[in-house]
Amino acid sequence: MTEMGRRERKKAATRQSLADAALRLFTERGYDEVGVREIADAADVSVTTLFKHFPDGKEALVFDQDVDREAALVAAVRERPAGQSVPEALHRMLLGEHSRRVHTDPRFDDFLRLVDTTPALREYARRMWLRHEHALAAAIADDAGLATDDPGCRALAHFALEAPVLVRGSRDPDTALDRVFDLLGNGWSGTRAG
Amino acid sequence: MTEMGRRERKKAATRQSLADAALRLFTERGYDEVGVREIADAADVSVTTLFKHFPDGKEALVFDQDVDREAALVAAVRERPAGQSVPEALHRMLLGEHSRRVHTDPRFDDFLRLVDTTPALREYARRMWLRHEHALAAAIADDAGLATDDPGCRALAHFALEAPVLVRGSRDPDTALDRVFDLLGNGWSGTRAG
DNA sequence: CTCAGAAAGTTTAGCTGTTACGCTTTTTTA
DNA sequence: TAAAAAAGCGTAACAGCTAAACTTTCTGAG
C-alpha cells in the first residue's frame, strides 16, 4: 500500500535511527545529560541533519510517533451513542486511550517515565496535545449548534484535553479523571449536592 | 518601615534599571530581536550580573512586579459573602483584577501587548500564574471540607486559573469569561438546558 | 539510457541563552 | 579597623540551534 522509493525509505531509516538513539541515551542517562551532538554521533549523522529531521528541537526526538489522535477525539464527539453527553463521550475515550497504550508497546513504560520526570518534556507533550483544541472545539460547537469560536465550547475542549495531564501523578488516576469530568459535566454546584 | 541599607538600595536600583532597559528595548524592537548582552549593556552591567538578578532567564526580565496575587485568590474563596459559590467568587475577583490593572499603570498596555504577541512570554506568564494552583486548591478543599489533594478541587483551581489565559484574544473577553465560569459552576449539561 | 535537478547529508562557522570560575570593589558588621 | 559578606566584572566555555556553500545519492522525463 505505501509505495516508498529507496529515497524515502532511507530517510525514514535515518529518522528512526535518530529517535531510537535519543530514546536509548535519554533513558540510560537522563534527558539533560545527553547533548544533541552526542545523539547525532550515535546515529552516525551530522547535527544539521538531526535538525532537518526534527526542526522542533531536542524535545521532538522523544515524540516520534504522533499518530492520528485528533481524528479520534473528533470522532468521539461526532459518533457518540444517542443520549450520551459530550463530556461523557470524551471521558470514555480518554480512559480507553490510556489503558490501551500501556498494554501494547513494551518500551512504552520507559517513555512515560522519561516524560514524567523531565519538565521540558512534560511541557512539550502538553503543547502537542493541546494543539487539537481547535479541532475539538469546532466539533463540539458543530454538535451543539453554536458558533465555531464559541467560548464555552473552547473552554470545554481545552479543559477536557488538560484533564489527562492534570490527573497524572494522582494515586488513582482513573478515579481522579472521573472527578474532573464530573466537574465538567455537572459543574461545581452539581458535584456537591449529589 | 522598610529599612534599606545603601547596599540593598543599590541592588534594587540595578535590578530596576535592568527591567526598565529590557521592557524598553523589547517594546521598541521585539522580544526576539534583543539579546541579553545588549540589555546588560543598556543597563551598564555585565551579563553575569544580569543573570544574578534574574536567574530564571530572559523571560523573567519582563515580569518584575510579581505581587501578592496568591493571597488575593485565597482570600476571594475564604472571605466570600454568604450564599456565594466558589466559582462565582473567583469569577468576580478575576474580573476585578483585570479591569483594575488596565486603568492604573500607563505603560501596562505595552506590557500586555508584548506578552500577548510573544509565545515564550505567554508560556512563561502562564507558568507563573499557575504556580498558585496548589494554594488555591488547598483553600477550596478546606472550604468544602475535602482532602487537601482532592482531584475535584485541584481541577477547579486549575481551570479557574486558566480561564483568564483562555479568554485572552476573544472579541468580548468579559462575556467569554462568563461562559467559562458558567461551565465550571453549572457544568456542560447545565449550560444548555437553561 | 542518461543526465539535470531535487533531496539528503556534510562541514564549517557562528549566534544566543546560560553558567562556572576566579578576581576586584564596596558595604556591613564584629 | 579588620574581616566577612555581597555585588559586580571579564573571560571562557557549553548547549541548542541555524545558515551557507558544497557533495553525494536518488528520481524521473526526454
Side-chain angles (χ1 to χ4, degrees):
Chain A
M1 42 158 68
T2 314
E3 288 278 345
M4 264 192 180
R6 194 190 331 273
R7 195 189 208 91
E8 298 186 33
R9 229 178 313 123
K10 283 198 174 181
K11 183 176 179 176
T14 302
R15 185 191 178 86
Q16 192 61 37
S17 161
L18 279 164
D20 287 353
L23 189 56
R24 183 171 55 77
L25 292 172
F26 287 159
T27 48
E28 277 175 13
R29 317 213 318 261
Y31 182 77
D32 294 315
E33 310 311 315
V34 181
V36 86
R37 285 148 174 100
E38 194 176 352
I39 297 171
D41 264 20
D44 207 41
V45 290
S46 76
V47 178
T48 38
T49 295
L50 184 154
F51 279 105
K52 282 224 171 79
H53 281 278
F54 298 91
D56 288 359
K58 193 182 172 188
E59 290 111 328
L61 282 160
V62 179
F63 301 90
D64 201 14
Q65 17 74 302
D66 202 357
V67 281
D68 49 327
R69 314 209 283 196
E70 183 162 307
L73 282 164
V74 172
V77 171
R78 285 233 164 84
E79 293 154 24
R80 92 198 103 109
Q84 192 178 58
S85 76
V86 171
E88 275 177 277
L90 289 170
H91 183 187
R92 294 184 115 79
M93 124 79 150
L94 289 174
L95 270 178
E97 273 289 298
H98 177 266
S99 52
R100 175 165 0 117
R101 298 200 144 220
V102 173
H103 299 305
T104 294
D105 203 322
R107 56 182 172 171
F108 195 69
D109 273 7
D110 292 340
F111 171 78
L112 273 191
R113 198 171 8 261
L114 178 64
V115 173
D116 270 352
T117 55
T118 312
L121 292 180
R122 281 181 66 106
E123 270 297 310
Y124 187 80
R126 184 186 166 274
R127 282 218 307 276
M128 291 289 96
W129 183 231
L130 253 65
R131 285 174 130 188
H132 308 313
E133 178 184 323
H134 198 71
L136 180 56
I140 295 174
D142 180 57
D143 181 89
L146 296 170
T148 309
D149 64 340
D150 177 77
C153 297
R154 275 195 58 201
L156 179 60
H158 185 93
F159 293 157
L161 289 176
E162 285 234 319
V165 182
L166 198 54
V167 302
R168 223 177 271 169
S170 296
R171 234 178 315 118
D172 184 352
D174 286 3
T175 306
L177 199 67
D178 291 351
R179 298 290 308 277
V180 176
F181 275 94
D182 186 30
L183 176 62
L184 292 177
N186 306 318
W188 181 251
S189 59
T191 65
R192 303 226 55 215
Chain B
M1 41 158 66
T2 314
E3 288 279 344
M4 264 194 179
R6 194 190 330 276
R7 195 191 205 89
E8 298 187 34
R9 228 178 314 122
K10 284 197 174 182
K11 182 175 180 178
T14 301
R15 185 191 178 85
Q16 192 61 36
S17 160
L18 279 164
D20 287 352
L23 189 56
R24 182 171 56 77
L25 291 172
F26 286 159
T27 48
E28 277 175 14
R29 317 213 318 259
Y31 182 77
D32 294 315
E33 310 310 316
V34 181
V36 86
R37 286 152 174 97
E38 193 177 353
I39 297 171
D41 264 19
D44 205 41
V45 167
S46 76
V47 178
T48 320
T49 296
L50 185 155
F51 278 104
K52 283 229 169 77
H53 280 279
F54 297 91
D56 288 358
K58 194 183 173 187
E59 291 112 328
L61 281 161
V62 179
F63 301 90
D64 202 14
Q65 18 73 299
D66 202 356
V67 281
D68 48 327
R69 313 209 285 195
E70 183 161 310
L73 282 164
V74 172
V77 171
R78 285 232 165 84
E79 293 154 23
R80 90 198 105 108
Q84 191 178 58
S85 75
V86 171
E88 275 177 276
L90 289 170
H91 184 187
R92 293 184 116 78
M93 124 80 150
L94 289 174
L95 270 179
E97 272 290 299
H98 178 265
S99 52
R100 176 167 357 119
R101 297 200 145 220
V102 172
H103 299 306
T104 295
D105 203 323
R107 56 183 172 170
F108 194 69
D109 273 7
D110 293 340
F111 170 79
L112 273 192
R113 198 171 9 260
L114 178 63
V115 173
D116 270 351
T117 54
T118 312
L121 291 180
R122 280 182 67 107
E123 269 298 310
Y124 187 79
R126 183 185 168 273
R127 283 218 308 276
M128 291 287 96
W129 182 230
L130 252 63
R131 285 175 131 188
H132 308 313
E133 179 184 323
H134 197 72
L136 180 56
I140 295 174
D142 180 58
D143 182 89
L146 296 170
T148 309
D149 65 339
D150 177 76
C153 298
R154 274 196 59 201
L156 179 60
H158 185 92
F159 293 158
L161 289 176
E162 285 232 317
V165 183
L166 198 54
V167 302
R168 225 176 268 170
S170 296
R171 236 179 314 119
D172 184 351
D174 285 3
T175 307
L177 199 67
D178 291 351
R179 298 290 307 277
V180 177
F181 274 95
D182 186 30
L183 176 62
L184 293 178
N186 305 319
W188 181 250
S189 58
T191 66
R192 304 227 52 216

